[in-house]
Amino acid sequence: MATAKRGGNGMSEQRRHRLRLEISREASRLFWAQGVDATSGDQIADAVGLSTRTIWRHFRSKESCAEPIVTQGVEWEMRTLRDWPANLSLEERFSTEASRFRREASAVELADNALAMRMIRLADTEPALRTAWLMACDLVEREMAEIIAKRLGRPADDLDVRLHAAAASAAIRVLNEDIGAALLDGADPAQFADASERLARAVRRATGGAVGDPVADVE
């Protein structure tokens, strides 16, 4: 019988991911409620019901506890792009998947998105959290290069592909920051009902139109 892949401490990768995410949720709630400086590793451990030693086995610092939730802030976009059908435009793909998310998103997914939005906003004034956000954006750029390369039928290390990936990931970062800040400042969410279309247009503009149109299947 197949078994789940295990890490060095005998814990399956899936379980490790779930545990890191739960720690991240509680740390992020504390960071938002009382600030990063006022939050200790002991408080995070108490909130999760774990020992402080366990927290440090999974994270290098208290600030890095925010990384899994911050990464969740761009996971929807990346999941949407990973399975982008060749015959759909970027606008069609994002619009379809945004509608699906609105219908099917769980309460946990919605809560994680709200926490990610708060951590991205807090990163404006907390350098350590800014590092976590920029690390997430770097992962987006690296994955974006693979996605664009496949889309265009070119190597991932092709210079134009890398430039398109850098521009597209920057567009995603800026829109996440801009829309999140507006919502946290009290903007009517209805103003951003077209957020997925805005995202698609931003990626298209950032890449000079190279990324966005339907393409012939290159596989």
Side-chain angles (χ1 to χ4, degrees):
M1 181 181 295
T3 57
K5 181 179 179 182
R6 296 185 177 274
N9 63 356
M11 180 181 292
S12 73
E13 287 300 316
Q14 186 178 34
R15 183 182 172 198
R16 179 175 180 273
H17 172 75
R18 287 199 304 267
L19 180 57
R20 279 174 51 83
L21 189 54
E22 184 55 35
I23 293 169
S24 190
R25 288 185 183 115
E26 295 302 331
S28 297
R29 290 181 185 121
L30 288 167
F31 291 158
W32 184 253
Q34 61 189 35
V36 176
D37 287 345
T39 300
S40 68
D42 289 341
Q43 287 179 311
I44 295 170
D46 286 344
V48 187
L50 297 171
S51 69
T52 305
R53 178 181 298 180
T54 299
I55 300 296
W56 302 142
R57 278 208 301 266
H58 290 277
F59 293 95
R60 65 188 179 278
S61 66
K62 67 177 182 181
E63 295 86 357
S64 70
C65 291
E67 289 173 9
I69 277 293
V70 167
T71 301
Q72 290 285 98
V74 288
E75 177 54 29
W76 177 82
E77 289 95 332
M78 301 316 297
R79 187 168 61 244
T80 296
L81 289 169
R82 286 182 201 118
D83 301 318
W84 179 12
N87 66 320
L88 294 183
S89 70
L90 188 55
E91 289 81 0
E92 291 170 321
R93 177 61 175 169
F94 272 128
S95 179
T96 299
E97 292 307 303
S99 295
R100 187 197 306 276
F101 183 81
R102 286 191 291 269
R103 291 194 309 270
E104 301 177 359
S106 67
V108 171
E109 288 177 303
L110 294 174
D112 282 351
N113 280 355
L115 268 178
M117 188 185 302
R118 293 184 179 111
M119 291 303 97
I120 292 168
R121 178 62 180 274
L122 199 56
D124 284 343
T125 55
E126 294 283 354
L129 294 188
R130 187 69 179 174
T131 297
W133 174 224
L134 293 179
M135 286 177 64
C137 292
D138 182 66
L139 292 174
V140 168
E141 181 178 333
R142 292 171 185 272
E143 186 165 2
M144 188 71 77
E146 298 289 340
I147 291 167
I148 292 174
K150 180 180 178 181
R151 188 82 180 172
L152 302 182
R154 301 169 74 170
D157 61 356
D158 178 89
L159 180 59
D160 284 341
V161 167
R162 292 176 60 200
L163 290 171
H164 292 327
S169 62
I172 291 173
R173 174 181 61 79
V174 169
L175 273 179
N176 270 284
E177 292 174 351
D178 186 68
I179 293 174
L183 290 173
L184 289 172
D185 285 340
D188 183 353
Q191 294 180 24
F192 301 103
D194 64 341
S196 60
E197 289 82 359
R198 293 189 195 195
L199 184 60
R201 290 195 300 269
V203 170
R204 186 184 286 274
R205 288 197 303 270
T207 60
V211 178
D213 290 336
V215 296
D217 196 338
V218 297
E219 297 203 311

